[in-house]
């Protein structure tokens, strides 16, 4: 691909910080996992759109690792960037850090990889720019992207398609 079709990971970086309030929490006083995932999907989709400069749809949540709970009253900061691209797909890395606003103590509480497909105005997949990985971490993520993509395709090929009765028959 030509250099104009390559963008640095940093060009797609998104940062969002908010405070965890009681309506966002479960009976343990910690952030609902589903609420966290909605925030992860939101920042990741913005990163994907910044990179592709077109609309995107979430195609796959490759991994989610909940590392620690986020408590009511803590700030939560999500950071995302595109770390690998296929022809029409974009893989986005997201990390979430919880901060105790009184002590300033910060803790990594989630990491995730999501895959999006870039679409034109008709909903047809379109080609996306390649990635320029600048930091060691970005390079490590980018170098593993093709292997993760192969693993996803292999897993998808093993899944039964169209058989809506499959799960209920067991």
């Amino acid at each position: 691909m030509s250099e104009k079709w390559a963008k640095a990971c940093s060009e797609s970086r998104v940062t969002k910080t908010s405070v965890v309030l009681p309506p966002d929490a479960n009976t343990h006083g910690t952030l609902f996992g589903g609420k966290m995932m909605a925030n992860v999907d939101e920042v990741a989709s913005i990163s994907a759109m910044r990179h592709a400069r077109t609309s995107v749809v979430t195609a796959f949540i490759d991994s989610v690792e909940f590392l620690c709970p986020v408590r009511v009253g803590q700030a939560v900061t999500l950071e995302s960037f595109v770390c690998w691209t296929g022809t029409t797909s974009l893989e986005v890395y997201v990390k979430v850090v919880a901060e105790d606003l009184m002590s300033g103590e910060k803790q990594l509480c989630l990491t995730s990889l999501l895959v999006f497909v870039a679409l034109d105005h008709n909903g047809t997949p379109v080609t996306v720019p390649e990635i320029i990985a600048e930091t060691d971490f970005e390079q490590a993520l980018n170098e593993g992207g093709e292997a993760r993509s192969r693993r996803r395709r292999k897993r998808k090929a093993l899944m039964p398609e169209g058989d809506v009765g499959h799960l209920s028959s067991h």
Side-chain angles (χ1 to χ4, degrees):
M1 274 192 172
S2 67
E3 197 59 31
K4 77 174 194 169
W5 274 96
K7 292 183 177 180
C9 293
S10 59
E11 292 182 63
S12 65
R13 191 168 305 274
V14 172
T15 303
K16 175 184 178 177
T17 302
S18 58
V19 67
V20 178
L21 300 172
D24 303 323
N26 57 33
T27 57
H28 303 288
T30 60
L31 183 62
F32 278 117
K35 178 78 170 173
M36 175 80 83
M37 286 308 304
N39 288 325
V40 166
D41 191 41
E42 178 184 15
V43 298
S45 67
I46 294 169
S47 285
M49 286 187 279
R50 275 188 178 165
H51 185 81
R53 291 298 177 198
T54 190
S55 64
V56 299
V57 291
T58 308
F60 200 88
I61 298 177
D62 189 279
S63 65
V64 179
E65 195 168 358
F66 291 94
L67 303 168
C68 72
V70 181
R71 305 204 180 286
V72 169
Q74 288 185 313
V76 63
T77 300
L78 296 90
E79 280 187 55
S80 63
F81 61 87
V82 176
C83 61
W84 179 83
T85 58
T87 304
T88 62
S89 62
L90 308 97
E91 186 180 65
V92 180
Y93 171 78
V94 181
K95 78 172 182 180
V96 181
V97 174
E99 178 184 358
D100 181 311
L101 292 170
M102 299 303 125
S103 69
E105 181 183 342
K106 294 179 181 178
Q107 203 172 9
L108 179 64
C109 61
L110 180 141
T111 60
S112 185
L113 286 168
L114 296 87
V115 178
F116 295 84
V117 174
L119 303 173
D120 67 13
H121 63 280
N122 293 318
T124 304
V126 294
T127 303
V128 298
E130 291 182 347
I131 284 294
I132 301 169
E134 299 170 306
T135 69
D136 290 343
F137 183 65
E138 291 169 355
Q139 289 171 0
L141 281 172
N142 185 263
E143 288 168 6
E146 186 59 43
R148 288 187 300 273
S149 179
R150 279 194 306 272
R151 187 186 75 235
R152 287 188 293 267
R153 286 191 303 270
K154 184 177 179 182
R155 187 173 7 180
K156 183 178 179 182
L158 295 173
M159 293 296 192
E161 291 189 29
D163 183 8
V164 295
H166 177 73
L167 293 177
S168 62
S169 66
H170 288 106

